[in-house]
Amino acid sequence: MQQIRGWIFDLDGTLTVAQHDFPAIRRELGIPADEDILTHLGRLPIAERQRLNDELNAIELRLAADVVPAPGAAELVRELHRSGRQLGILTRNLRSVAMASLERIGVLDCFAPEHILGRDEAPPKPAPEGIHQLLADWQLSNAEAVMVGDFHFDLAAGRAAGCRTCLVFPDNAWPELTDLHVADCHSLLAQLRTTDGPA
């Protein structure tokens, strides 16, 4: 992991304990159970899209108030920050929600605001544009970066961008998209310390 200089994280379910009950959110917004929320909203007429986007924003801001760190997440981010790695967030949430969540778990100061990309700053994952945007800003190649997340959208975005991928989840449901699989951030931190040496 020593050659990985750019670390791009998903947020909900990766650095924080998963807060989003997506079936409940779909029901609240009137979105069919088998549809991706953002894809569905993107197909709606502008007025209806804006109304439901406002409702979705309110739901996410409400959830952010109760966010808690995933096990080992704050320690992992702090260690990466201390070691001089570039850190970014690529989330399908709002940037303001991401910043509120990072503040709640005590690591907001580890991220430059312009490196926290929400759905209004870059096309939502699995699109890779947000990763390209961060790499260009950091002046890093895709070989020097890893996309870390808990869902196939995260891994697919990393694959499409040509960078490494790390799945943080108990089971590896997408081995074809995963370069590194760990159960949680504690395990990822342990691997980082093994390759980097003592902090």
Side-chain angles (χ1 to χ4, degrees):
M1 294 186 191
Q2 289 175 312
Q3 69 272 37
I4 302 297
R5 298 171 56 205
W7 288 70
I8 304 164
F9 289 94
D10 171 55
L11 190 57
D12 184 60
T14 302
L15 294 181
T16 67
V17 173
Q19 290 279 98
H20 290 62
D21 181 345
F22 291 109
I25 292 172
R26 288 186 186 91
R27 287 194 298 272
E28 189 168 342
L29 297 178
I31 294 173
D34 59 346
E35 289 210 29
D36 174 65
I37 293 169
L38 297 184
T39 302
H40 179 87
L41 294 183
R43 293 197 302 262
L44 295 176
I46 292 174
E48 186 178 3
R49 182 192 317 160
Q50 186 59 56
R51 178 180 64 79
L52 290 181
N53 263 321
D54 289 345
E55 291 184 28
L56 178 60
N57 294 348
I59 292 168
E60 290 181 349
L61 287 166
R62 185 177 74 225
L63 292 172
D66 297 320
V67 74
V68 295
E75 297 89 339
L76 172 64
V77 169
R78 288 252 166 239
E79 187 140 328
L80 289 168
H81 182 63
R82 280 195 300 269
S83 69
R85 264 81 162 197
Q86 297 282 1
L87 298 180
I89 295 290
L90 183 59
T91 175
R92 287 163 61 94
N93 293 342
L94 291 173
R95 173 189 267 169
S96 58
V97 170
M99 294 181 74
S101 297
L102 292 168
E103 186 168 28
R104 283 275 301 175
I105 68 174
V107 296
L108 179 59
D109 61 300
C110 296
F111 296 87
E114 65 270 22
H115 298 155
I116 301 171
L117 305 183
R119 60 174 173 262
D120 292 335
E121 289 70 46
K125 297 170 292 188
E129 283 85 350
I131 296 175
H132 293 313
Q133 184 176 328
L134 290 168
L135 295 181
D137 202 26
W138 295 336
Q139 298 186 325
L140 295 180
S141 70
N142 51 14
E144 296 175 290
V146 62
M147 178 70 220
V148 183
D150 70 321
F151 193 57
H152 73 82
F153 284 162
D154 309 310
L155 305 173
R159 271 286 184 269
C163 66
R164 291 178 173 87
T165 59
C166 175
L167 176 65
V168 180
F169 199 73
D171 301 314
N172 187 359
W174 307 283
E176 71 284 358
L177 296 174
T178 305
D179 294 316
L180 175 65
H181 170 233
V182 292
D184 54 31
C185 289
H186 275 309
S187 301
L188 184 52
L189 179 57
Q191 293 208 25
L192 180 70
R193 287 173 171 166
T194 297
T195 57
D196 283 6

